[in-house]
Amino acid sequence: MAGRAVWWRPVSPPTSESMPLPPAAHDIAERHALAPGRGFRLAMLGLGMSVVPLDTAVNIAFPDITGNFGLPISIIQWVVICYVLTYAALMLAFGRIGDMAGHARVFRAGLGWSVVAYLLCAASPSFGWLLFCRFLQGVGAGLVISCAPALVIGLYPQERRAHAVGIFTLIFALGSALGPLIGGALVARWGWPAVFWFRAPIALLSLLLLRGLPLSRASTGERFDILGALLLAAGLTALLFGINAGARVGGLEPALLLAVAAASLALFVWWEGQAARPIIRIEMFGDLGFTTVNLVSALTYLATFSVLLFVPYFFAHFATMPRPMAGAVLAIGSATTALAAPAAGWLVARVAAERVAALGLLAVGGGLFLIGLWNADVSPPVMMLTLAVQGLGIGLFQTAYMDIVMRSSPLADRGVAGSLALLTRTIGTVTGAALLTLLFHAAQTSDTAEGFLAAFDTIFRIIGVAVVVCVAAIPWWRPSAMR
């Protein structure tokens, strides 16, 4: 339309005349022709990548872990921090390695690494060893999940990209929903180590049976951006530690960590602008739309983490249902996300992804606001309905957002693009754990059940409205600039 600014400017992929595609890009092109047996390869990919979202099983084992090692409850957060910080800091770098050396090669390396890490976690003789092994597990998770989106999408022709993104979202949501259910049964039978070792045979089975994803030839003449990777890892680690420290201790420590994060990330941005083959193309963030949609994604994941953070405590204060039923109610959101993902992929293929994302945000915000209307006598069916509404929204938004990010990136950068989409999820979750806790304590006027309920309702109403407001940042009224 003449005289109108284009919200989205897709990055033009390098041509064969200007730049040879790295091995991973050849992998994707070749896989388009591999129609026979694609369903089995997709199943094995899904099995392998499921070990990452299945980590929600560990949450169920927190009381057993602290009890086994004789630790206070507050120390259990480091089981999460060591793992999340590791794969968050390494994900983009591993995505770039996948773009250079082949996504299948990196994915398989992650599966093999994870098998060993799970067994070491389960065999940890002390809490210190468990934290170190969780760091190792985070390395494996980063390897697996950094290249999983590119591999799943690479199984489908480009015109069916939205369908592939829906399948990826479905697999991830199913793993997240099944984790607490499987973990609860395993802990009751074999204790806390089971939430780790049960994933080792899953990863091993995928590693042994996954076929049809060719190992590409080694990249020639292309060097990995080591300095960029180190600056990014240092910046993200300091950022997430600083946010966490702000929630726990306050004072000078968070300010110093955040200053280190700002300096490291500023140097990373400067260096990536000079690098011949950067980890991520900084010019993509020069487009306001691309930057905005990533910020909205992080905020959405921050808001939705409130369900996992506060709803279990609501159950403890007011629900009379047995614990297994409470776990099943809590899993409704992830289960609905899984069910919505294929339909979201179908919608994205037919409607502008921005419109599907906006619809998802409305559902997420509306569901969170409805949770804020719960009272002490709320019935399980009402809980399930409101959790399902926000779960439906997550399924719609996740699928549309990942399609937007993947379509904006050249074919040769698909590993980094998929990693970026997952990184916003991680940053939102970790940030939510700190900021939502601070906000909740500020809203809680007393330690009584009534004080908890007042703060609970206030938090969910605020974040529900905040997510709905984010719809204004998504240009849903315009058609996609790139299909």
Side-chain angles (χ1 to χ4, degrees):
M1 187 177 293
R4 193 172 198 177
V6 177
W7 177 79
W8 192 270
R9 293 183 176 87
V11 178
S12 300
T15 63
S16 58
E17 290 79 10
S18 63
M19 178 180 177
L21 289 175
H26 292 292
D27 281 356
I28 294 175
E30 290 169 7
R31 280 184 231 128
H32 288 171
L34 295 177
R38 181 170 59 190
F40 179 76
R41 286 191 291 277
L42 180 61
M44 290 301 99
L45 268 175
L47 192 67
M49 63 174 274
S50 70
V51 298
V52 177
L54 280 172
D55 200 73
T56 52
V58 176
N59 295 50
I60 268 313
F62 282 171
D64 295 78
I65 293 173
T66 52
N68 181 78
F69 294 116
L71 301 168
I73 295 176
S74 60
I75 204 69
I76 198 65
Q77 66 182 311
W78 291 103
V79 173
V80 177
I81 292 171
C82 287
Y83 173 69
V84 172
L85 279 179
T86 302
Y87 79 74
L90 297 176
M91 209 183 313
L92 282 179
F94 287 156
R96 169 56 65 216
I97 292 174
D99 289 333
M100 293 170 56
H103 303 124
R105 182 177 282 125
V106 172
F107 186 81
R108 287 193 176 100
L111 290 175
W113 182 289
S114 295
V115 169
V116 177
Y118 292 137
L119 296 178
L120 289 175
C121 283
S124 297
S126 67
F127 189 67
W129 273 106
L130 177 60
L131 295 183
F132 175 71
C133 294
R134 282 287 277 176
F135 157 75
L136 297 179
Q137 184 191 334
V139 175
L143 288 166
V144 168
I145 209 63
S146 63
C147 292
L151 286 171
V152 172
I153 291 173
L155 288 176
Y156 291 83
Q158 186 67 11
E159 63 270 16
R160 298 195 66 195
R161 180 190 64 230
H163 174 77
V165 170
I167 294 296
F168 175 84
T169 306
L170 166 65
I171 295 169
F172 211 90
L174 275 177
S176 299
L178 290 174
L181 301 177
I182 296 173
L186 291 175
V187 170
R189 178 65 178 83
W190 287 293
W192 68 265
V195 299
F196 297 106
W197 61 247
F198 90 94
R199 283 175 282 171
I202 296 175
L204 184 60
L205 184 65
S206 174
L207 179 62
L208 295 177
L209 297 183
L210 187 58
R211 295 290 183 268
L213 302 178
L215 289 173
S216 56
R217 60 187 180 274
S219 179
T220 57
E222 185 176 350
R223 294 182 178 180
F224 177 66
D225 183 11
I226 296 177
L227 179 58
L230 292 175
L231 288 171
L232 178 63
L236 289 176
T237 300
L239 174 66
L240 298 181
F241 263 122
I243 292 170
N244 183 269
R248 292 183 296 106
V249 297
L252 189 60
E253 180 183 343
L256 289 175
L257 286 168
L258 293 176
V260 170
S264 299
L265 293 176
L267 285 172
F268 170 76
V269 170
W270 173 81
W271 174 254
E272 292 301 281
Q274 317 299 314
R277 184 64 172 161
I279 288 179
I280 188 168
R281 298 177 186 275
I282 298 298
E283 61 265 24
M284 290 193 300
F285 291 94
D287 187 286
L288 180 61
F290 184 82
T291 302
T292 300
V293 78
N294 281 282
L295 291 175
V296 169
S297 174
L299 177 61
T300 302
Y301 289 123
L302 184 157
T304 55
F305 185 70
S306 59
V307 175
L308 291 176
L309 188 62
F310 298 127
V311 170
Y313 290 98
F314 181 92
F315 290 159
H317 277 93
F318 303 107
T320 57
M321 68 185 80
R323 183 172 296 180
M325 184 178 177
V329 170
L330 187 60
I332 287 295
S334 295
T336 309
T337 299
L339 292 174
W346 182 88
L347 270 177
V348 167
R350 289 158 178 80
V351 182
E354 288 79 9
R355 294 176 181 175
V356 178
L359 180 62
L361 290 175
L362 288 175
V364 170
L368 293 173
F369 189 87
L370 290 174
I371 292 173
L373 300 180
W374 288 3
N375 55 40
D377 301 320
V378 64
S379 64
V382 171
M383 294 181 190
M384 296 169 70
L385 178 61
T386 51
L387 289 169
V389 170
Q390 66 92 32
L392 170 66
I394 294 171
L396 293 172
F397 178 79
Q398 278 183 355
T399 304
Y401 162 70
M402 184 166 286
D403 182 79
I404 290 171
V405 172
M406 296 299 279
R407 83 180 185 216
S408 72
S409 305
L411 187 64
D413 292 339
R414 283 288 167 86
V416 170
S419 299
L420 176 64
L422 293 167
L423 182 62
T424 61
R425 177 192 187 110
T426 303
I427 290 176
T429 298
V430 175
T431 305
L435 297 185
L436 289 172
T437 301
L438 288 174
L439 187 59
F440 187 88
H441 286 312
Q444 190 172 14
T445 56
S446 68
D447 292 331
T448 63
E450 291 75 15
F452 171 88
L453 184 59
F456 180 91
D457 290 347
T458 299
I459 292 296
F460 277 96
R461 292 178 190 182
I462 290 174
I463 60 177
V465 170
V467 172
V468 170
V469 169
C470 286
V471 174
I474 304 293
W476 53 269
W477 61 89
R478 299 181 189 173
S480 272
M482 178 179 178
R483 296 305 312 155

